[in-house]
Amino acid sequence: MSGVDLRSPYLGLPLASPLVVGAAAPLSADPDHIPRLADAGAAAVVLHSLFLEQVERDWQEWNHHQEHGSESVAESLSYLPRTAPGHLGAQGYLREIEAARRRVEIPIIASLNGSQAGPWAATARALEQAGASAIELNLYAVPTDQSLSGAELENGQVDVVREVCAAVTLPVAVKLSPYYTNLTHLAHRLQAAGARGLVLFNRFYQPDIDIETLEHRPNLLLSTAADQRLPLRWIALLHGRVGLDFAASGGISHGTDVVRMLMVGASVTMVVAALLRHGPEHLRSLESELRQWLEQHDYSSLDELRGCLCQQRGPDPGAFERAQYMRALSSYPTPVWEQPQEAPSR
């Protein structure tokens, strides 16, 4: 391979490249997939999510069994669990972290997913003890409580980040949706709460309905190139304004996609859909395309490229704000059906 330096520090982790496998069960739930991803060139792997609801549910079941036999005679107490479960719902997940760390040398990032108060700190400590290199907090929420204001929702999420960051020494990244009133303000608050990075953005998988059976059905659509626009815009706006690392997530399929995200300030890119479509070996193509582009444009390292087109450093700061919106609307070509038609020949 060429001598181009692809090293990309992320959350304080010294990664060999900006190609990180994002959280997705089909990619990381099978422990045999992790070495295959590493061999193909993954710089790090974010494991599939551990949902906080799993931990809560198993705690409730354990408590139920404890209370169920509390009035029994001493001789019958042997059927009760002997010790507190710690993290029954997380036990399998913790074993996955331990197994992955034994089999590969790349960082293994745990993904903790939740939407409300719960055993965030205790679960985060368990992930750290199992050997996770970092934690990605996925704050997935669909608020429907009309009494809950946007400010209250954000306060709750900032509190979660502060609680987790205080509980562990691991670096913590926060995976957000784009649906906030002022994302720049929230980013500053998350940094103050202890976060080291942001993953932009989470994708909300919308439900579908079957009009024949009158039933709801899941309909998971993989990301496409169009999904790159939101993270590209917001990373460009935030880079240099907050002291956080940024991971671009959504529609990364080619080496040139990685280039775009690095240009606006991303530290790394999360790859998921392209690997689900083409397999882990597609990472080799991404790296090869990235290296080829860098060589053709005389870059020797990613540090020379990163952030060159963010809002603060780019030649057109308005391109990422309202001016771009107006220009985009006026740039669409005249529809074919409105163009003058030639008179039919006689």
Side-chain angles (χ1 to χ4, degrees):
M1 301 300 289
S2 73
V4 178
D5 186 359
L6 297 185
R7 287 179 295 178
S8 301
Y10 176 57
L11 307 179
L13 304 174
L15 304 190
S17 84
L19 302 178
V20 175
V21 177
L27 293 176
S28 56
D30 185 335
D32 290 333
H33 289 175
I34 307 296
R36 188 175 170 187
L37 291 165
D39 291 342
V45 172
V46 184
L47 291 183
H48 62 97
S49 288
L50 170 64
F51 292 90
L52 206 64
E53 291 88 341
Q54 295 173 264
V55 182
E56 286 275 27
R57 183 177 60 248
D58 289 330
W59 265 105
Q60 291 170 1
E61 291 179 1
W62 182 84
N63 284 328
H64 166 74
H65 291 300
Q66 284 284 337
E67 295 169 0
H68 180 70
S70 60
E71 303 301 324
S72 302
V73 296
E75 288 80 358
S76 66
L77 294 181
S78 60
Y79 67 83
L80 293 175
R82 294 185 179 181
T83 59
H87 304 280
L88 284 176
Q91 287 298 337
Y93 194 83
L94 301 179
R95 287 193 292 270
E96 289 181 33
I97 295 173
E98 294 167 352
R101 290 303 304 270
R102 288 194 299 268
R103 300 182 68 178
V104 299
E105 296 182 359
I106 62 173
I108 300 298
I109 300 173
S111 174
L112 184 55
N113 190 314
S115 62
Q116 55 191 3
W120 289 95
T123 306
R125 282 193 291 267
L127 298 176
E128 181 175 39
Q129 292 167 4
S133 304
I135 294 176
E136 181 177 290
L137 286 183
N138 190 330
L139 300 180
Y140 183 105
V142 182
T144 58
D145 184 350
Q146 63 182 5
S147 67
L148 183 66
S149 71
E152 290 171 316
L153 176 64
E154 291 183 13
N155 289 341
Q157 294 190 342
V158 172
D159 287 344
V160 166
V161 173
R162 184 179 296 108
E163 180 182 357
V164 170
C165 291
V168 297
T169 60
L170 295 179
V172 174
V174 184
K175 192 170 187 178
L176 295 174
S177 82
Y179 306 120
Y180 291 90
T181 302
N182 188 344
L183 190 59
T184 305
H185 176 72
L186 179 62
H188 278 279
R189 295 189 66 194
L190 294 174
Q191 180 186 355
R196 296 281 298 274
L198 295 181
V199 183
L200 305 179
F201 286 107
N202 202 346
R203 296 182 70 226
F204 285 178
Y205 296 109
Q206 314 297 349
D208 198 357
I209 60 171
D210 189 316
I211 62 175
E212 300 298 334
T213 64
L214 306 183
E215 295 178 334
H216 292 90
R217 63 184 181 190
N219 186 13
L220 194 156
L221 302 174
L222 298 180
S223 63
T224 67
D227 293 298
Q228 297 175 31
R229 299 295 181 86
L230 267 176
L232 185 145
R233 180 184 212 175
W234 277 104
I235 291 172
L237 288 169
L238 292 171
H239 181 73
R241 296 178 185 274
V242 291
L244 295 168
D245 291 341
F246 299 101
S249 177
I252 307 297
S253 298
H254 304 284
T256 49
D257 299 333
V258 180
V259 170
R260 289 187 187 90
M261 294 303 181
L262 295 173
M263 282 181 166
V264 295
S267 296
V268 297
T269 55
M270 298 288 182
V271 187
V272 174
L275 303 183
L276 294 176
R277 290 188 178 103
H278 307 296
E281 287 69 27
H282 187 66
L283 286 164
R284 294 193 178 95
S285 297
L286 286 172
E287 182 175 331
S288 177
E289 292 171 6
L290 175 60
R291 288 184 180 276
Q292 183 178 6
W293 190 94
L294 292 167
E295 288 176 346
Q296 290 175 348
H297 294 80
D298 296 323
Y299 285 97
S300 60
S301 75
L302 298 187
D303 288 339
E304 300 172 12
L305 180 71
R306 187 173 285 111
C308 68
L309 287 181
C310 71
Q311 188 188 42
Q312 290 189 330
R313 294 172 58 187
D316 184 8
F320 298 103
E321 295 185 349
R322 187 172 173 81
Q324 178 272 340
Y325 167 76
M326 294 184 288
R327 286 199 295 266
L329 290 178
S330 62
S331 67
Y332 193 83
T334 302
V336 174
W337 47 267
E338 279 195 355
Q339 295 177 3
Q341 301 296 314
E342 294 183 6
S345 58
R346 295 180 181 271

